[in-house]
Amino acid sequence: MSNEIKSSKIAYDALTTAGMSRRDALKVMGLTGGAAMMMGAPTRAEAGPSSDKKAKIVIVGGGAGGIMAAARLRKAASNAEITLIAPNETHLYQPGQVFMAAGLYKQSDIQHSNADLVPDGVNWVKDEVTSFDPDNNKVTTAKNGDVSYDYLVVATGLAYNYEGIEGMSPDLVGKNGISSVYLNNPVDGTAKGGVATWEWFKEMRSAAESASPEKPIKVICTQPDTPIKCGGAPQKILYLSDDNLRGNGPEGGADVSKNAQFSFCKKGTKLFGLPGYNKTLVEEVTPMYGNITDKWNHVLRKIDAEKKIATFEHTYQTKGEYDKDLEEYDMINHTEMVEMEYDFIHVVPPMKPVDAVASSPLGWQKGTAKGWLECDQYTLQHRRYENVFGIGDILGIPKGKTGGSARHHGPVLTENLIAVMNGKKPEAKFDGYTVCPLKTQYGEIMLAEFDFDGVAPSFPFLDPTKPRWIWWAFDLYMLKPMYWHLMMKGLM
Ligand SMILES: Cc1cc2nc3c(=O)[nH]c(=O)nc-3n(C[C@H](O)[C@H](O)[C@H](O)COP(=O)(O)OP(=O)(O)OC[C@H]3O[C@@H](n4cnc5c(N)ncnc54)[C@H](O)[C@@H]3O)c2cc1C
């Protein structure tokens, strides 16, 4: 059976198993020309160069990127000894944490045994890398000593920095009106953020039921000023929690959204970096709710969990003197700390590269990307160590901290690593593909796709800036089985 037929069958099974009628499922499949199209153009599966050279390849990290790299390299490098260093017995389908928060998935729905995903013929060392020594081609592990390599793939993902907000810690998630959908533990395979945020949705709803438009509950949703994975998730929680108040969540109920006031606090003055997607969010989605205020250039710096007060760093500019020569006003920068009371707050933590990479010679040594893996944004090859490549969120490149991006990194990294093994130049190029299935309400997603050049819709015949039910159906019913059965097998 060809890969495309296999993927279409899995998608069809997923849709019908999930309760969609056969007719509707077929319509969805027909529109896309096969499920393998989802999340960007299909990537090369088994095509591409291969090598029969003997070499030691070490992959560090067994999440989305690490498993995809292992699956692809196992097929392409037939005589290589491939070692995966990854501590996690359980693999989390992290995008599903948002559906957990919305009350549509349970934790067990997004967990999978990592043993089932590690490809046959790959030596799995269940351990963590504590340091990288690229000058001597080796890594040091916590329990198994040094592991040497000829080629290294860094796939450690990123780390949360809840403590970067004064007074905040992961322990507070689920207490005192605080939640955070991102919280998970990739080592023990739990997704506390998903569980706690669905409780938060329900507590917010019952508080709104007892409130009034005159005395509304106060809800704050935040976004930090660091790079984050899935840049749309802070807004997904904003819209879905508000929509749950409108009675559109899985437990229904009356519309009590007028009894709540939401503030969305972030750096910058846009909801989305690209104008078309931003326009939809500003002109259609936000007004549709009628109770959301965007607080531009407000970054959460401190939280008092007992008193329920959040403190934001607010930056703004005022006009200074008029400069006759330049024919414009000087702009003066101001910073003030602003306290805001809340009943419920959704905290998105600042994010950073994992310490083992940041403290090694592999990270960018200076600049805004300091600590993130210093790779070429196109070839994904390290800029100073030619036998080192990266995949996934750890990459210090301009775009792409999403699972969809990692899926596009996979074939590029494989082709280029094989080229270097064969003594050739790496020529495959990552195009910057990033996908954000932005849930604008229950039942609708704006499928924002873009690359280094701008908007990059997989289905250009459908206006990509329009939220649609079909993308919701894809995301809810199809992406998870496609992730387990195709992406993790290096088949798309
Ligand atoms: C709430 C949420 C919503 C999301 N929504 C979407 C979405 O809708 N669409 C989308 O495409 N993406 C989404 N993502 C992002 C997506 O999950 C990530 O981009 C993707 O998992 C990145 O893969 P990765 O391999 O780089 O990192 P991960 O999958 O996080 O894996 C990294 C692995 O490395 C391991 N590791 C870390 N340090 C070490 C070490 N020192 N030694 C050994 N192993 C180590 C960790 O244990 C972990 O298992 C979402 C993520 C979250 C949290």
Side-chain angles (χ1 to χ4, degrees):
M1 208 190 302
S2 79
N3 289 335
E4 194 176 333
I5 293 169
K6 258 193 240 163
S7 67
S8 298
K9 180 166 180 340
I10 289 166
Y12 174 82
D13 288 348
L15 285 169
T16 47
T17 311
M20 196 180 277
S21 74
R22 285 184 59 222
R23 197 159 166 268
D24 282 350
L26 286 168
K27 257 198 256 168
V28 170
M29 309 288 301
L31 177 61
T32 63
M37 292 285 286
M38 187 52 185
M39 290 171 87
T43 57
R44 280 154 298 208
E46 280 149 85
S50 59
S51 176
D52 57 7
K53 295 245 163 74
K54 282 197 180 342
K56 278 189 193 169
I57 302 176
V58 167
I59 301 166
V60 180
I67 295 291
M68 277 192 279
R72 285 180 176 271
L73 285 167
R74 184 60 291 161
K75 287 176 208 148
S78 50
N79 285 324
E81 182 188 316
I82 302 180
T83 300
L84 175 74
I85 306 178
N88 53 310
E89 295 277 358
T90 304
H91 186 117
L92 279 180
Y93 171 66
Q94 298 177 46
Q97 287 177 222
V98 173
F99 282 134
M100 282 178 71
L104 299 169
Y105 284 174
K106 296 189 295 300
Q107 181 171 270
S108 55
D109 292 332
I110 69 162
Q111 293 171 321
H112 208 292
S113 151
N114 221 23
D116 287 349
L117 300 176
V118 176
D120 290 344
V122 168
N123 170 33
W124 179 15
V125 177
K126 285 181 202 166
D127 206 343
E128 211 163 313
V129 165
T130 51
S131 64
F132 292 86
D133 182 1
D135 291 312
N136 293 301
N137 293 332
K138 66 182 171 87
V139 298
T140 302
T141 61
K143 295 178 288 190
N144 290 276
D146 290 351
V147 180
S148 61
Y149 60 81
D150 299 307
Y151 301 94
L152 174 70
V153 177
V154 183
T156 56
L158 51 68
Y160 299 138
N161 183 20
Y162 284 97
E163 288 80 3
I165 300 163
E166 193 185 329
M168 183 62 198
S169 82
D171 294 344
L172 288 172
V173 172
K175 293 180 189 153
N176 290 27
I178 299 175
S179 200
S180 180
V181 70
Y182 280 91
L183 185 59
N184 56 24
N185 182 331
V187 178
D188 73 9
T190 53
K192 185 180 170 190
V195 177
T197 307
W198 173 230
E199 290 307 312
W200 185 82
F201 271 39
K202 290 189 288 187
E203 282 167 25
M204 185 193 301
R205 205 188 139 81
S206 81
E209 280 166 358
S210 325
S212 66
E214 294 73 37
K215 271 201 153 195
I217 58 164
K218 296 187 189 105
V219 185
I220 300 177
C221 292
T222 73
Q223 181 166 334
D225 57 354
T226 62
I228 58 172
K229 55 178 148 186
C230 187
Q235 282 180 75
K236 296 177 190 175
I237 296 304
L238 169 72
Y239 304 132
L240 290 174
S241 61
D242 204 349
D243 204 26
N244 189 50
L245 298 184
R246 298 199 301 178
N248 294 329
E251 297 187 347
D255 182 352
V256 291
S257 60
K258 287 193 173 53
N259 300 348
Q261 278 300 329
F262 285 73
S263 299
F264 182 53
C265 301
K266 73 181 292 281
K267 179 97 182 155
T269 55
K270 285 185 183 141
L271 291 174
F272 208 102
L274 290 162
Y277 299 130
N278 189 56
K279 191 167 186 282
T280 301
L281 296 170
V282 172
E283 294 182 9
E284 291 173 34
V285 178
T286 305
M288 173 179 80
Y289 287 102
N291 61 355
I292 299 174
T293 305
D294 294 316
K295 298 267 189 188
W296 304 128
N297 286 314
H298 279 65
V299 180
L300 182 63
R301 297 292 185 214
K302 185 177 165 188
I303 195 157
D304 185 332
E306 290 302 318
K307 293 190 183 142
K308 294 193 161 183
I309 296 174
T311 306
F312 291 85
E313 181 180 329
H314 176 217
T315 46
Y316 62 100
Q317 292 189 317
T318 53
K319 269 186 193 167
E321 301 262 305
Y322 186 73
D323 187 318
K324 283 186 193 145
D325 298 330
L326 292 175
E327 296 184 346
E328 63 184 27
Y329 286 93
D330 287 336
M331 296 307 287
I332 305 168
N333 294 321
H334 303 273
T335 302
E336 62 179 0
M337 300 310 277
V338 177
E339 287 189 350
M340 288 169 62
E341 292 180 355
Y342 62 84
D343 299 295
F344 295 90
I345 186 166
H346 182 258
V347 176
V348 176
M351 300 185 198
K352 58 180 188 176
V354 299
D355 287 343
V357 174
S359 62
S360 80
L362 292 177
W364 284 90
Q365 300 298 299
K366 55 185 180 180
T368 48
K370 192 164 184 255
W372 298 93
L373 192 70
E374 188 183 331
C375 282
D376 179 86
Q377 73 182 66
Y378 301 109
T379 64
L380 311 180
Q381 183 185 36
H382 199 278
R383 284 161 36 103
R384 287 175 284 114
Y385 298 96
E386 66 174 29
N387 61 339
V388 178
F389 289 80
I391 182 168
D393 295 343
I394 187 60
L395 288 166
I397 63 173
K399 286 204 165 45
K401 294 203 188 310
T402 68
S405 313
R407 185 172 78 78
H408 281 238
H409 298 153
V412 173
L413 143 86
T414 306
E415 198 167 321
N416 286 340
L417 196 153
I418 294 292
V420 173
M421 271 176 88
N422 289 337
K424 296 192 180 139
K425 275 187 165 276
E427 282 179 348
K429 288 197 165 94
F430 173 56
D431 58 3
Y433 178 78
T434 308
V435 58
C436 174
L438 220 157
K439 294 146 182 81
T440 52
Q441 59 180 304
Y442 277 89
E444 286 204 355
I445 279 178
M446 177 174 77
L447 188 64
E449 294 174 287
F450 49 96
D451 60 21
F452 291 138
D453 296 330
V455 175
S458 301
F459 309 99
F461 52 92
L462 290 176
D463 177 358
T465 65
K466 192 176 168 0
R468 294 172 194 276
W469 173 84
I470 191 171
W471 304 141
W472 175 273
F474 260 124
D475 200 354
L476 184 62
Y477 303 123
M478 291 172 64
L479 282 185
K480 189 157 53 85
M482 288 166 72
Y483 180 88
W484 299 132
H485 301 296
L486 299 174
M487 284 171 68
M488 292 302 107
K489 304 263 180 327
L491 293 172
M492 69 175 282

